[in-house]
Amino acid sequence: MESQETVKRPQEEANGVPKAHQDDSNHEPALKRMKLDGMSEDASQKTPRARVKGIAPIKEEYLTLAPGQVAKLGEAEVVVDDDDAEGRTAPETTQESSAKDGKRKKQKGGQNKERAFGTFSDAQRLCNSVAWTPEFSPRHCKFGDRCNALHDIRKYLKDGRRADLTTFGGKCPLFEKYGKCPSGWRCLFVASHMDEIKHDDGRTELVLVGGDSKAAAGEEDGPGGAGDINTGVVNMVPIAVKHDLSRKRVALDKSDKYLDWLSKDIDLYRKHYHRQKDDEDESKDYSAQYVEPPFKPSEKRRVYFGRETPVLAPLTTQGNLPFRRLCVELGAQVTYSEMALGLPLLQGQKADWTLMRAHESETTPPLFNPSGPVVQGYDNSKDLKFGVQIAANVPWIAVKATETLSRFLPHLRLIDLNCGCPVDMVYKSGAGSALLDSQSKLERMIRGMNAVSEEVPITAKIRMGVRDDKFTAQKLIERLALGSEDMRGVLGAPGCAAVTLHGRTRQQRYTRDADWSYIAECAALVKNLNEKSNDLADTIRETDENTLPNGGKMYFLGNGDCYSHVDYFNHIDNAKVDSVMIGRGAIIKPWIFEEIEKGQYLDKSASERLTYVEKFARYGMEAWGSDELGINYTRRFLLEFLSFFSRYTPIGLLEYLPPAINDRPPAYNGRDDLETLLASKNYQDWIKISEMFLGPAPPGFKFQPKHKSNSYEAEG
């Protein structure tokens, strides 16, 4: 049993937590972070229990089950499918087992598809013409008498919406921080930034303190639009651009010329290579007729990945702007948008363009060690943290989406092509992990994206392969580094600046641990390929040197099951990857980046963890607004976050270190009531946690976890 100083909090602090639980505006101060290098002296004298695979080793004093019952849990290991962290929508997946009557029996588990979150709008809508103006000075309503929204502010405040919230002391967090609130009269804290003034004629008028905070109304759509206050959000594309994209009014000349050349070159290639591949004359004939593409990769901005740059993976749903902002604050050095689909981007669809937004903290340069192996020409002052990830199933979508992104997003580190998403909807369309078996098409995509992305580098994220019995990553990595063997001498390299390998196949999903031994093999291959590319640069034509990214260096990142600083540095030192991309581990404990920076375990108290929930709520309101719609957008994504956040098992409760991401804890009581609440797997408890900061959920609000295993009701 560990000492009071290293694990247990003082009793008076533990007794104070329930008060903070009930009053969200006054949680107890964050406790001192503690370094846990292993078992304490007292614990070392005690005979340790055998570790059970798949079961988190909770100390006996915290268990609600007897140790013998805990051991039995390991015999029926339950695998949680975490594909929801990678795929944007996924059909329901069911596991089946044979019943005695020979019929297939559906087991519990899988995903809740077509989830509905209910309605959470105002009872009566307030017209935009009066939503941000003084009571007696409305704007002109373009609908006139046909408008079915309210124009009477007093009636709206009385009957059209819910009463003001009392969380945060009843004060609007946005107004407190910026002096204005972009939600105007719709804000659910509006009483804190409104006034009633009396005019000389005796009339009283309702006004917003700080003036018209939506002078640029309509400039940006979506919950919590931009307005005229700077909440630190960048890459906000105007509605007019999206409208022009939807009407096909945006000329993509670079893409059109490149795709026209590509079509002709493919015909030429087929003519000479599909007849007699072993005929040297045919090969020479093709080389003689080969015509340079209209756009070769320009001198790309150099990028850097190193030991000091832990990377936050692109995470669908969970990787939203408020969550990334929290991770950057805790030490994440590289971030990615949620995966966007290429075709909807080209069609100007709001949902996909919203994913491209970033916070200004993501536009700052990542850490780097100037005395380390930095590529020549790298300028850290021009680098930034934020990149985007897209998915596409055909080259023309990937190429045109890339040109569009590089043109309209001013804050962009790189564009990553998703070649690993295992979700059926993506895979069956020919995108995601389907590209692992279409390597020629994938190479054309990377070449084309490089040709039109201007200075923005192109990268790819892949899996080991589609099937467990056929790993294709090594062959693909060589192709991404140098190009296909038969075309290398003519076209040069595709120009892929970095490859991230997730150590699983599509078939495997998350049913087994990530294969870091295979990642290590691929890392050694990349090192050899980088050396080979430098040799080739002296022998191929001079113009082909532009096809080699980062002066001939392709970075290589590993991904899978990183859950502590021990895992991170073990992969850096033993697998020899340039950096590690962290996905689920960051959602379960966002301070993993802080652990990496400090090089130690951090036993976060329940009150400290609750401050992260509060920050997410604040950042969510800044991103989506403090009106009914914005607050419940924040609530929805906070609940998605809590579905992973609740999996965290406090370090101080474990008998063995390091913790394993796939270990599931048996039922246990935390060191205080709040710690027990934060560990609840019941989504109704997650809603209670959200209500500490976002107020009561509206009557029409619903939430279903993606995983059915989390959908149980509380007993008793």
Side-chain angles (χ1 to χ4, degrees):
M1 183 173 176
E2 303 221 14
S3 64
Q4 290 277 344
E5 289 76 11
T6 56
V7 175
K8 299 263 187 167
R9 297 185 300 152
Q11 188 62 39
E12 61 270 23
E13 290 182 338
N15 291 337
V17 171
K19 294 181 180 180
H21 179 173
Q22 300 193 8
D23 182 6
D24 60 271
S25 64
N26 185 35
H27 8 311
E28 63 183 71
L31 300 175
K32 182 181 179 181
R33 299 185 180 105
M34 293 160 284
K35 182 174 182 178
L36 302 176
D37 290 326
M39 302 292 292
S40 70
E41 188 173 327
D42 291 339
S44 64
Q45 298 174 358
K46 183 178 178 181
T47 302
R49 290 182 288 123
R51 189 161 189 173
V52 181
K53 181 176 173 57
I55 302 297
I58 302 290
K59 294 176 182 176
E60 289 186 24
E61 59 263 37
Y62 299 105
L63 291 173
T64 60
L65 294 174
Q69 293 175 298
V70 173
K72 291 181 180 179
L73 294 176
E75 298 174 2
E77 185 178 352
V78 177
V79 176
V80 177
D81 180 6
D82 277 334
D83 287 338
D84 56 308
E86 293 194 58
R88 90 190 219 157
T89 54
E92 181 179 10
T93 56
T94 58
Q95 298 174 342
E96 296 181 345
S97 63
S98 298
K100 292 182 179 179
D101 57 4
K103 296 181 179 179
R104 304 296 287 178
K105 183 180 179 181
K106 184 184 296 184
Q107 295 181 345
K108 292 182 180 180
Q111 295 180 337
N112 287 312
K113 65 174 183 178
E114 299 179 357
R115 297 182 300 155
F117 298 95
T119 57
F120 35 85
S121 56
D122 290 330
Q124 300 182 67
R125 186 171 63 87
L126 183 68
C127 182
N128 282 348
S129 65
V130 298
W132 301 279
T133 64
E135 183 181 11
F136 298 159
S137 306
R139 293 196 184 98
H140 172 70
C141 177
K142 62 182 179 180
F143 298 104
D145 295 337
R146 296 180 291 110
C147 184
N148 57 8
L150 285 176
H151 292 77
D152 186 332
I153 293 174
R154 293 179 187 268
K155 181 174 176 58
Y156 170 75
L157 295 177
K158 181 180 179 182
D159 304 321
R161 54 159 226 157
R162 289 195 293 161
D164 266 22
L165 300 179
T166 58
T167 56
F168 297 107
K171 297 181 179 180
C172 174
L174 278 79
F175 183 80
E176 289 290 296
K177 185 172 182 179
Y178 299 107
K180 290 184 178 182
C181 174
S183 296
W185 294 110
R186 297 190 181 110
C187 176
L188 288 181
F189 301 91
V190 71
S192 67
H193 54 77
M194 61 171 281
D195 197 5
E196 188 171 18
I197 60 176
K198 188 172 182 179
H199 294 285
D200 294 340
D201 59 5
R203 295 187 304 164
T204 58
E205 180 182 20
L206 295 177
V207 297
L208 291 168
V209 178
D212 184 350
S213 61
K214 193 71 175 183
E219 182 67 21
E220 176 66 25
D221 53 316
D228 64 340
I229 70 172
N230 177 18
T231 57
V233 180
V234 299
N235 288 346
M236 294 185 18
V237 178
I239 295 176
V241 172
K242 301 171 193 173
H243 187 267
D244 287 343
L245 285 168
S246 68
R247 297 292 187 271
K248 297 183 178 180
R249 295 173 183 166
V250 177
L252 300 173
D253 296 335
K254 284 188 175 182
S255 296
D256 290 336
K257 291 179 180 179
Y258 181 84
L259 292 168
D260 181 60
W261 169 85
L262 180 63
S263 176
K264 294 177 181 178
D265 185 67
I266 289 176
D267 290 340
L268 186 63
Y269 173 81
R270 287 172 178 167
K271 176 181 177 182
H272 293 286
Y273 276 81
H274 286 201
R275 287 190 295 178
Q276 295 181 14
K277 292 184 179 180
D278 57 346
D279 189 333
E280 293 185 4
D281 292 335
E282 291 288 343
S283 177
K284 292 178 181 178
D285 188 30
Y286 172 75
S287 299
Q289 296 187 45
Y290 173 77
V291 179
E292 295 282 357
F295 298 101
K296 276 199 162 294
S298 60
E299 190 66 26
K300 303 289 181 182
R301 187 194 316 118
R302 301 287 199 257
V303 292
Y304 172 74
F305 293 95
R307 185 185 185 88
E308 65 277 25
T309 59
V311 178
L312 176 64
L315 298 163
T316 296
T317 304
Q318 281 81 10
N320 49 63
L321 187 150
F323 177 74
R324 298 196 313 269
R325 183 177 174 185
L326 177 63
C327 288
V328 168
E329 189 174 304
L330 290 170
Q333 296 301 313
V334 178
T335 62
Y336 289 83
S337 72
E338 301 173 55
M339 182 186 75
L341 300 181
L343 188 57
L345 285 172
L346 292 174
Q347 294 170 338
Q349 293 189 18
K350 179 177 69 176
D352 287 81
W353 278 102
T354 299
L355 301 180
M356 303 297 102
R357 297 179 186 176
H359 187 259
E360 60 186 3
S361 62
E362 297 177 271
T363 66
T364 58
L367 292 176
F368 88 111
N369 179 12
S371 61
V374 182
V375 297
Q376 186 177 5
Y378 173 71
D379 186 348
N380 183 254
S381 65
K382 294 182 179 179
D383 201 0
L384 66 158
K385 296 181 174 71
F386 180 71
V388 300
Q389 187 186 68
I390 63 172
N393 59 353
V394 289
W396 73 266
I397 292 179
V399 172
K400 290 195 172 187
T402 297
E403 183 178 357
T404 306
L405 291 171
S406 60
R407 181 187 302 182
F408 295 114
L409 300 183
H411 303 282
L412 195 57
R413 183 183 207 233
L414 52 82
I415 299 174
D416 186 77
L417 180 63
N418 183 303
C419 313
C421 180
V423 173
D424 288 346
M425 182 196 77
V426 177
Y427 175 77
K428 291 180 179 178
S429 73
S433 56
L435 293 173
L436 300 175
D437 283 341
S438 301
Q439 297 190 2
S440 178
K441 179 168 71 173
L442 173 54
E443 181 184 349
R444 293 198 301 273
M445 286 183 172
I446 296 294
R447 289 185 184 280
M449 292 168 70
N450 257 310
V452 300
S453 66
E454 297 179 350
E455 68 170 0
V456 180
I458 303 299
T459 64
K461 185 170 186 283
I462 66 176
R463 284 197 174 213
M464 297 192 303
V466 173
R467 300 188 303 276
D468 288 347
D469 60 351
K470 185 180 180 183
F471 293 173
T472 57
Q474 288 182 320
K475 183 179 178 182
L476 177 57
I477 288 170
E478 180 174 359
R479 192 161 191 160
L480 292 176
L482 301 177
S484 59
E485 190 171 351
D486 54 356
M487 297 297 295
R488 193 174 297 163
V490 179
L491 293 176
C496 190
V499 171
T500 301
L501 175 60
H502 183 174
R504 293 183 173 91
T505 63
R506 177 185 185 266
Q507 181 182 353
Q508 180 183 342
R509 302 292 177 105
Y510 286 88
T511 57
R512 292 191 297 275
D513 294 340
D515 188 346
W516 276 91
S517 62
Y518 185 77
I519 294 176
E521 292 177 20
C522 293
L525 171 66
V526 171
K527 181 180 179 181
N528 292 332
L529 293 175
N530 283 333
E531 294 172 354
K532 186 176 181 180
S533 68
N534 288 328
D535 294 337
L536 286 176
D538 297 329
T539 59
I540 59 180
R541 289 175 300 167
E542 184 179 350
T543 53
D544 285 338
E545 292 184 13
N546 290 328
T547 67
L548 298 175
N550 290 304
K553 178 178 175 60
M554 184 176 77
Y555 284 99
F556 183 69
L557 290 74
N559 172 226
D561 298 346
C562 183
Y563 193 44
S564 69
H565 68 286
V566 173
D567 293 336
Y568 180 84
F569 291 116
N570 177 56
H571 299 327
I572 295 284
D573 296 334
N574 297 328
K576 304 298 183 183
V577 294
D578 291 304
S579 186
V580 178
M581 180 179 283
I582 307 171
R584 294 176 301 156
I587 318 176
I588 297 171
K589 59 170 191 180
W591 60 92
I592 186 174
F593 299 105
E594 189 179 1
E595 288 189 344
I596 292 169
E597 183 179 354
K598 296 179 181 297
Q600 64 183 47
Y601 292 108
L602 298 175
D603 187 19
K604 297 287 185 176
S605 67
S607 58
E608 282 181 296
R609 292 169 61 202
L610 194 64
T611 61
Y612 299 144
V613 176
E614 178 185 356
K615 283 185 177 181
F616 186 99
R618 289 179 180 272
Y619 296 163
M621 283 188 279
E622 290 185 32
W624 297 306
S626 55
D627 58 350
E628 187 74 68
L629 187 61
I631 281 179
N632 286 294
Y633 260 81
T634 300
R635 190 190 309 276
R636 179 220 159 162
F637 289 108
L638 174 58
L639 293 173
E640 304 279 14
F641 173 35
L642 289 173
S643 71
F644 280 83
F645 198 62
S646 62
R647 294 189 196 177
Y648 174 68
T649 305
I651 290 292
L653 273 58
L654 296 177
E655 278 196 311
Y656 302 95
L657 297 176
I661 192 171
N662 291 323
D663 281 357
R664 296 292 180 262
Y668 69 90
N669 290 318
R671 292 167 290 190
D672 54 64
D673 292 342
L674 181 56
E675 193 166 73
T676 303
L677 177 65
L678 289 173
S680 173
K681 301 301 184 290
N682 187 341
Y683 73 95
Q684 292 183 333
D685 286 333
W686 306 341
I687 293 177
K688 292 176 185 176
I689 294 171
S690 78
E691 290 176 340
M692 295 181 189
F693 307 106
L694 303 176
F701 181 85
K702 299 177 182 178
F703 180 76
Q704 284 182 299
K706 285 189 175 182
H707 293 306
K708 293 182 179 179
S709 59
N710 287 331
S711 301
Y712 68 86
E713 301 287 342
E715 296 181 3

